Amino acid sequence: MPLLGKLIKKSIDVASDLLEEDKNPIEAQAEVLKNLLEIAKNTDFGKRYQFNEILKSRDLPKSFRVSIPCFDYDRMFGEWWHKTVEGIPDVTWPGSPEYFALSSGTTGSQSKRIPVTNEMIEAIRSTGIKQVMSLSDYDLPDEFFQKGILMLGSSTELEERDGHLEGEISGISASNIPFWFKGYYKPGEEISKIQDWDERVLRIAEQAPNWDIGALSGIPSWIELMLKKVIEYNNLKNIHEIWPSLSVFTTGGVPFEPHKESFEKLLDHPLLYLDTYLASEGFIALQVNPNDDMSMQLAYNGGIYFEFIPFEPEYFDENGAPLEGAPSLSLAQVEEGNEYAMLISTVSGAWRYSIGDTVKFTDREKAEIKITGRTKFFMNVVGSQLSVHKMTDAIQKLKEEFDMAISEFTVAAVKYDGEFYHQWVIGTENGSNLNEEVLADKLDEALQSANKNYGVARSKALKGVKVKLITSEVFYDWAEQTKKKGGQIKIPQMMKESEMKAFLDFLKLNAS
C-alpha cells in the first residue's frame, strides 16, 4: 500500500479520534446563539433590537424569537445589507466583509449580494474539515487519501467592486482553500479562474489524463455534463478508464437520487455518495454518517443558529417569505417527519433569515435532516397548495410505473384559453415511446391521492395537467440561454407563468 496514503489516512483517523466529543446539538445551538448575540450587540442591528437586553433573558431562544422579526433577503437587504454593500461598517456584524456571495440560486432569477465575513469563511472551512474527518468511518483504501479532489463550482476569479470581492460562494470558498490542500485540489487555480463554464470544462477534459482523481464535488447536473465531456474528448467508455481511483462523489445543492441512474452510466462501478448543503449564506449541513437515505447533519456548531417554521401555507406569502406572526421552533422543539422552513442567524450578520429551503428531520437527537424543497416552490395559484416534495413523490411514481429516467422537471400554473392548467416539462432520456397525455393523467391521479387541497382545486379552478417531454440536455441549453449555467445554479422545479411561457417558446424555437 502507498506509504503516503497510509500516513494520511492514519492522520485522519487520529484527528477524528482527538476531536472533542461533539456537544449535544441542542446545547451547542444555545451556545452559538449566545455567542452571536454577544459579538453583534454593538452593531447597528444589535442596538436596534437590544441584544444586551435579550442576553439578560433566562429563556434566550424565546426572547430572541419574540424580539426580532423574520427577514427574507429582500427585507434584510432593503433595511440593512444595502448599507453593508455601500461600505458602512458594523451594520449587522462587526466590521466590513471582504466578500459578497452572488446568489442566483435557480435559472432566471436576479443575483443577490450576501455578506461573507472572515468568520463565515472559517466556519465553512471547519465544517468542510469535519466532513473530511468523517471519511475515517467509511471503508476507503489507503491510496484514496493521496488522490486529487476535483471541485467543479463557480469561477474563483472574483470581481472587485467598491473595495470588496464578489462571486458565488463555491468560488469564494475555493479561493480560500488551506495551503496544505492545494496539492490535492483540481482543476487548480488557473483553470478554476476561467469564467466561461464551457471553456473551463474543455480545459478540464484536456488535462484529465494528467490527473489521478479520487473524489468529485459539485452539483450533480453540472458534474454529469463535465464527465460526459471528459469521456467524449478522451474517447473513453467510462470515466474510470481515465480516473480508476475515483471513489467518492460529494454532491449538494439538489437531491442526487433523480440523477443517479444517468450518472452511473458514466462509471465502471458506483461511487460512495455523500451529500452536502452549502448555501450562499453558509455551510448548512453535511453527511457525516454512512446511511442509505443521504440524511445530513446540521452544522449546529458552525456559526449558525437554526429556527424552524412549520411549513404550512398560512405562514408564508405568495413569494415564500414568512408572514409576521409565523411561529418558529428551536431545535429542541421540532418533531421528526414534519416539514419545516428554516430560519438562520449567522456569523455573517444574517438574523432570523429565511433561507428559502424546507427540510424534514430524520433524527432529531443527531440533528439530521433531508432537504424537501423550497418555500417559494409551493404552488397555490388556484388553491392547490402543492409543494415540490409532493411533486417529487409524483415524479417518483412515474419513474417506477413507466421505467423512466427523470433527472430534471419543472412545473407552472399556466392559463390556456382562460383556464388554469399545471404545465409540466420533464427531462428524460427514454421518453420517445411514452404518451404525454397518459403521463399527465398519471401525475394528476398521483397528486389528487396525495394532496386533499389539490383534489379540491382540480374539481374547481384547476382545469387539468399538461406534460411536455424533453431531454435533460435541453434544460441545460435553456440554462445557457439564460446565462445561468454551471457553478451553484440549479434548474428551478417551479416557475412563474411568464417564465414557463418563455421556456415553452424556447422549446418551440429549438424544435423547428
Side-chain angles (χ1 to χ4, degrees):
M1 293 183 183
L3 178 59
L4 178 59
K6 193 175 185 70
L7 290 173
I8 293 172
K9 184 178 182 182
K10 183 64 176 177
S11 298
I12 289 176
D13 290 342
V14 171
S16 183
D17 291 340
L18 290 177
L19 283 175
E20 65 173 319
E21 200 65 33
D22 275 341
K23 299 182 182 70
N24 175 287
I26 293 172
E27 294 174 356
Q29 278 284 279
E31 189 173 316
V32 167
L33 176 58
K34 183 178 179 181
N35 289 339
L36 289 172
L37 293 170
E38 285 281 3
I39 294 170
K41 64 186 179 184
N42 293 320
T43 63
D44 293 344
F45 191 94
K47 293 173 183 176
R48 165 67 178 81
Y49 290 105
Q50 299 181 308
F51 281 11
N52 271 323
E53 293 302 312
I54 295 174
L55 283 162
K56 295 175 184 177
S57 172
R58 292 184 177 179
D59 189 342
L60 199 60
K62 181 180 179 181
S63 182
F64 178 67
R65 180 171 64 246
V66 301
S67 301
I68 301 170
C70 295
F71 289 83
D72 62 0
Y73 173 79
D74 290 335
R75 183 175 182 182
M76 198 81 207
F77 189 88
E79 295 183 21
W80 299 97
W81 281 349
H82 74 92
K83 303 174 188 177
T84 306
V85 172
E86 291 164 8
I88 299 172
D90 305 328
V91 178
T92 64
W93 193 256
S96 296
E98 183 179 350
Y99 301 96
F100 283 85
L102 300 181
S103 172
S104 50
T106 53
T107 58
S109 54
Q110 288 188 324
S111 289
K112 305 171 182 178
R113 285 183 168 79
I114 297 167
V116 181
T117 62
N118 290 333
E119 292 92 335
M120 179 56 75
I121 289 172
E122 181 56 37
I124 290 172
R125 183 183 294 137
S126 296
T127 304
I129 289 173
K130 183 176 181 180
Q131 186 154 58
V132 172
M133 295 299 110
S134 75
L135 292 175
S136 64
D137 294 329
Y138 296 88
D139 186 23
L140 293 168
D142 291 349
E143 55 265 26
F144 167 80
F145 293 91
Q146 65 184 74
K147 307 301 181 182
I149 300 176
L150 176 54
M151 301 169 64
L152 186 64
S154 306
S155 169
T156 58
E157 184 68 25
L158 307 177
E159 181 180 345
E160 187 170 357
R161 175 172 173 166
D162 299 329
H164 60 257
L165 297 172
E166 296 183 344
E168 287 187 29
I169 190 65
S170 59
I172 294 172
S173 299
S175 67
N176 283 277
I177 59 173
F179 74 92
W180 55 265
F181 184 66
K182 291 186 178 181
Y184 300 95
Y185 168 60
K186 304 298 180 191
E189 294 184 20
E190 180 183 343
I191 295 177
S192 295
K193 288 182 178 180
I194 297 173
Q195 293 281 0
D196 183 85
W197 191 85
D198 289 310
E199 182 183 347
R200 198 176 342 139
V201 169
L202 177 59
R203 291 288 303 278
I204 289 171
E206 292 171 348
Q207 292 298 316
N210 303 321
W211 301 334
D212 189 4
I213 300 298
L216 302 170
S217 178
I219 288 180
S221 49
W222 308 129
I223 287 286
E224 187 173 329
L225 284 182
M226 180 272 294
L227 293 180
K228 287 179 178 178
K229 185 64 177 180
V230 172
I231 290 169
E232 175 193 9
Y233 185 88
N234 293 282
N235 195 26
L236 309 172
K237 293 179 181 177
N238 61 68
I239 198 64
H240 279 113
E241 287 190 357
I242 199 168
W243 296 331
S245 301
L246 180 60
S247 305
V248 175
F249 177 26
T250 302
T251 179
V254 296
F256 175 62
E257 190 60 35
H259 299 268
K260 187 174 181 180
E261 184 177 346
S262 58
F263 183 85
E264 291 192 339
K265 290 179 180 178
L266 307 177
L267 313 175
D268 178 62
H269 53 268
L271 308 179
L272 168 64
Y273 304 112
L274 301 177
D275 211 355
T276 59
Y277 182 2
L278 174 63
S280 298
E281 293 83 359
F283 204 148
I284 306 296
L286 66 159
Q287 187 175 343
V288 295
N289 296 311
N291 58 57
D292 294 330
D293 63 0
M294 296 185 79
S295 292
M296 294 178 288
Q297 186 178 75
L298 289 172
Y300 56 79
N301 206 18
I304 301 175
Y305 177 71
F306 297 96
E307 296 173 87
F308 306 91
I309 299 176
F311 191 46
E312 302 294 341
E314 61 264 32
Y315 299 143
F316 299 87
D317 67 20
E318 61 184 10
N319 296 314
L323 296 170
E324 293 291 339
S328 65
L329 308 174
S330 68
L331 183 59
Q333 297 169 307
V334 297
E335 296 180 2
E336 293 176 13
N338 290 346
E339 195 168 13
Y340 299 98
M342 283 200 300
L343 300 178
I344 60 172
S345 301
T346 77
V347 291
S348 275
W351 296 102
R352 306 202 72 229
Y353 176 99
S354 175
I355 197 170
D357 289 323
T358 59
V359 301
K360 279 188 177 181
F361 278 83
T362 57
D363 189 322
R364 196 195 71 166
E365 274 192 30
K366 296 179 180 177
E368 290 187 348
I369 61 164
K370 290 189 74 172
I371 302 173
T372 57
R374 297 281 292 169
T375 57
K376 67 178 180 178
F377 292 169
F378 193 91
M379 192 172 295
N380 199 26
V381 176
V382 289
S384 56
Q385 296 185 6
L386 194 58
S387 69
V388 162
H389 182 60
K390 295 293 186 186
M391 293 181 175
T392 303
D393 287 347
I395 285 288
Q396 183 62 33
K397 289 183 178 180
L398 282 193
K399 291 171 67 175
E400 292 170 358
E401 184 165 346
F402 296 95
D403 193 25
M404 297 175 68
I406 300 173
S407 54
E408 305 286 359
F409 73 85
T410 191
V411 62
V414 178
K415 267 190 176 180
Y416 292 102
D417 299 323
E419 301 277 8
F420 269 113
Y421 288 79
H422 278 180
Q423 173 68 66
W424 292 70
V425 180
I426 298 174
T428 180
E429 310 311 317
N430 59 344
S432 57
N433 296 321
L434 296 174
N435 185 296
E436 293 176 339
E437 292 183 2
V438 171
L439 295 176
D441 289 342
K442 288 295 181 181
L443 274 176
D444 191 29
E445 180 184 310
L447 291 168
Q448 287 195 56
S449 65
N451 188 319
K452 180 181 178 182
N453 290 314
Y454 177 86
V456 172
R458 277 292 286 114
S459 67
K460 295 180 180 179
L462 183 61
K463 183 68 174 177
V465 174
K466 293 180 180 289
V467 167
K468 175 70 175 174
L469 294 178
I470 62 175
T471 65
S472 300
E473 296 286 342
V474 180
F475 272 104
Y476 309 140
D477 292 342
W478 169 245
E480 184 171 18
Q481 174 81 10
T482 55
K483 303 187 187 306
K484 300 291 183 181
K485 187 176 183 180
Q488 296 295 107
I489 303 298
K490 311 170 191 76
I491 301 297
Q493 292 180 317
M494 282 192 196
M495 289 184 177
K496 296 178 180 178
E497 183 178 17
S498 58
E499 293 170 335
M500 177 60 80
K501 287 182 175 179
F503 187 29
L504 293 173
D505 288 342
F506 172 81
L507 298 180
K508 289 178 184 176
L509 183 64
N510 285 268
S512 59

